[in-house]
Amino acid sequence: MKITEVRVIVTCPTRNYVVVKILTDEPGLYGVGDATLNGRELAVATALKEHIAPLLIGRDPDRIEDIWQMLFRGPYWRGGPVQMTALAGIDIALWDIKGKRAGMPVYSLLGGKTRDGVLAYTHAGGSDFNEVEDDVRRKIAAGFKVVRCQVAIPGNAGTYGTGGGAEAASATWREQPGNSHSGRSAWGDGGPMPMVETWEPAPYLRTIPRLFAHLRDQLGDEIELFHDVHERLTPIQAARLAKELEPYHLFFLEDCLRPEHKESFRLIRNHSTTPLAMGELFHSRWDCVPLLTEQLIDFIRCDLGHIGGITEAQKIAHIAETFYVQTAWHGPGDIGPAMHAANVHLDFATANFGIQEMVSFPAQVHEVLPGAPTFERGYLQVSDKPGLGTDVNEEAAAKYPYERAYLPMTRRADGSMMDW
Ligand code: CS2
Ligand code: MG
């Protein structure tokens, strides 16, 4: 069997997705992967079309590990988000082909089911504590057992993730002159620009413990709650937050520090028993290893779409298992249904699975990219069809051409740059 074509489809059914379709010389046998990198979609599409696709034509799609090694080590230049997202798109499509060829769902090829359903979480948010509480109640009524909670911070315009839905939290903003929450313009020239938010640590650190005090008071102890810091704190600020949140028993505290700060997790650990999760900005197993071997985190939550796909994620899961760390793979709206399906296939086959982030895709995404995992009573399921169970409708994709879009940016009150 040989690869005959690598098709790269960029489409915008409400937001941009980069889809990889690998065709083979076996009639009707193809695989579908996702290679979406929010805000840098065309860089990945170009890497795939210009640099990677020509290397794959004529190769045996069964040799996933060898192709992975070739695309990772072959170019000499290692990793980074663009290359690892492109590699993930290829990897996912190859696993889809392998499953279809074997007549088995991918979770079977990865070792078989270790559970009957995949515990999922969604997002709640609001502009004040009561709005967040109401949103959590709605999510509980919809069947969720675990809910991430974000709230607007007094004095911080456009605080990340207060829109509620996971889709809102992972939104990009289409280019728009003057599109700025704070009225501050990124370039000041009136040209296309991302939304710019304002953020200060002091009001944030005061507000978040009070939010969870309110939620525990109103909602009791049974519902699992947690919070995403989105890499905005310094090590000592993160230690303070984790310590002050201890009484509210969070499921975990997500992404406290920037991805470069691995050794600083020791400081947080020394001060608190709040469980810690980290990883959506990591690009390889080597980013994870220091946190795993020292047991500095409790949940590893890389994005399969940005670390090279199932092949790399299963290796990370196995290293994590050795150190009693559970998986919680990133599952925002800015990765496509094929990657969400890959998450859930791997979750099913992972003994040390912890939890899965999920989104509900809008109708246009289902039309273009059918087969996303389904949610019922707190748990996700995937199709038992051979492969991943997702597809791409190329005619429908063509109706929604690419639209340039940026992630928001954040600045401090004095105008200096902050991490979004
Ligand atoms: C977020 C993401 O889902 C999450 O945990 O941190 O929505 C993240 O902001 C986006 O994936 C960025 O593209
Ligand atoms: Mg996050």
Side-chain angles (χ1 to χ4, degrees):
M1 192 178 35
K2 284 187 167 47
I3 295 172
T4 52
E5 188 184 341
V6 178
R7 216 171 274 171
V8 182
I9 302 149
V10 183
T11 176
C12 187
T14 68
R15 61 179 312 131
N16 293 311
Y17 293 104
V18 179
V19 184
V20 181
K21 182 169 177 177
I22 299 185
L23 295 92
T24 72
D25 59 358
E26 247 176 61
L29 181 62
Y30 64 87
V32 175
D34 174 75
T36 308
L37 181 62
N38 197 2
R40 292 294 182 272
E41 298 85 359
L42 298 188
V44 180
T46 305
L48 282 162
K49 281 189 234 171
E50 300 297 328
H51 304 296
I52 292 175
L55 287 171
L56 297 181
I57 306 304
R59 285 183 199 274
D60 181 354
D62 189 59
R63 299 181 63 168
I64 298 179
E65 181 68 34
D66 185 58
I67 289 175
W68 199 99
Q69 296 289 334
M70 177 186 77
L71 294 178
F72 182 68
R73 292 158 70 189
Y76 183 58
W77 310 110
R78 287 286 207 272
V82 173
Q83 290 215 99
M84 297 313 283
T85 303
L87 176 44
I90 300 292
D91 185 78
I92 299 302
L94 293 177
W95 277 103
D96 192 30
I97 292 175
K98 194 184 278 294
K100 286 175 176 168
R101 198 170 176 222
M104 288 178 175
V106 168
Y107 64 73
S108 288
L109 300 178
L110 297 175
K113 282 192 175 178
T114 60
R115 61 202 70 249
D116 300 322
V118 162
L119 181 68
Y121 74 77
T122 189
H123 303 182
S127 56
D128 60 30
F129 295 174
N130 290 327
E131 270 186 38
V132 182
E133 179 195 330
D134 290 346
D135 202 15
V136 176
R137 288 188 192 281
R138 278 192 289 277
K139 303 295 156 58
I140 295 172
F144 285 95
K145 299 174 191 308
V146 188
V147 185
R148 189 193 83 161
C149 304
Q150 310 295 115
V151 71
I153 308 299
N156 283 2
T159 299
Y160 162 74
T162 53
E167 300 79 13
S170 54
T172 41
W173 276 260
R174 308 271 156 71
E175 65 176 52
Q176 234 179 71
N179 182 358
S180 164
H181 237 258
S182 60
R184 193 190 301 282
S185 132
W187 286 276
D189 58 2
M193 63 190 71
M195 179 167 112
V196 182
E197 302 180 347
T198 311
W199 193 86
E200 279 295 310
Y204 172 80
L205 288 167
R206 279 196 302 271
T207 304
I208 297 303
R210 289 179 195 156
L211 168 69
F212 284 91
H214 172 94
L215 294 175
R216 280 292 174 227
D217 201 40
Q218 298 302 312
L219 300 167
D221 289 328
E222 219 161 288
I223 178 75
E224 296 278 9
L225 302 172
F226 73 95
H227 178 69
D228 184 357
V229 181
H230 222 249
E231 304 97 5
R232 287 186 179 179
L233 295 178
T234 65
I236 198 66
Q237 289 167 346
R240 168 180 154 190
L241 183 64
K243 188 173 171 179
E244 292 185 6
L245 286 171
E246 257 178 31
Y248 314 114
H249 297 135
L250 267 57
F251 190 83
F252 57 61
L253 188 59
E254 176 179 328
D255 289 5
C256 286
L257 305 176
R258 287 186 254 163
E260 300 87 10
H261 272 264
K262 291 168 196 82
E263 58 298 327
S264 305
F265 276 88
R266 284 189 204 127
L267 188 78
I268 311 178
R269 274 297 206 223
N270 286 343
H271 289 281
S272 155
T273 57
T274 294
L276 302 175
M278 181 69 191
E280 67 183 54
L281 291 181
F282 287 174
H283 298 123
S284 79
R285 83 197 78 132
W286 291 281
D287 283 328
C288 307
V289 159
L291 296 180
L292 301 177
T293 53
E294 271 198 65
Q295 296 179 316
L296 295 179
I297 55 170
D298 304 279
F299 294 87
I300 183 75
R301 49 180 313 289
C302 303
D303 189 315
L304 265 62
H306 308 323
I307 54 162
I310 290 172
T311 300
E312 182 74 352
Q314 195 174 33
K315 290 175 186 175
I316 293 170
H318 290 165
I319 303 169
E321 183 187 358
T322 316
F323 297 97
Y324 306 103
V325 175
Q326 292 178 283
T327 64
W329 308 126
H330 192 212
D334 51 79
I335 54 172
M339 201 57 74
H340 281 265
N343 277 338
V344 178
H345 279 273
L346 181 57
D347 296 336
F348 266 120
T350 301
N352 53 319
F353 162 76
I355 196 162
Q356 181 59 57
E357 182 181 24
M358 64 161 283
V359 290
S360 304
F361 286 106
Q364 297 95 316
V365 175
H366 288 294
E367 177 197 2
V368 175
L369 301 165
T374 52
F375 173 81
E376 212 184 317
R377 288 194 290 271
Y379 297 90
L380 287 163
Q381 298 292 339
V382 270
S383 129
D384 296 323
K385 283 188 206 156
L388 288 168
T390 61
D391 208 341
V392 54
N393 177 337
E394 291 180 68
E395 261 173 45
K399 290 195 306 190
Y400 304 104
Y402 168 77
E403 291 178 40
R404 181 145 43 131
Y406 294 101
L407 280 151
M409 292 182 185
T410 305
R411 288 180 184 271
R412 297 281 303 269
D414 67 359
S416 59
M417 198 66 197
M418 183 66 208
D419 299 85
W420 177 63

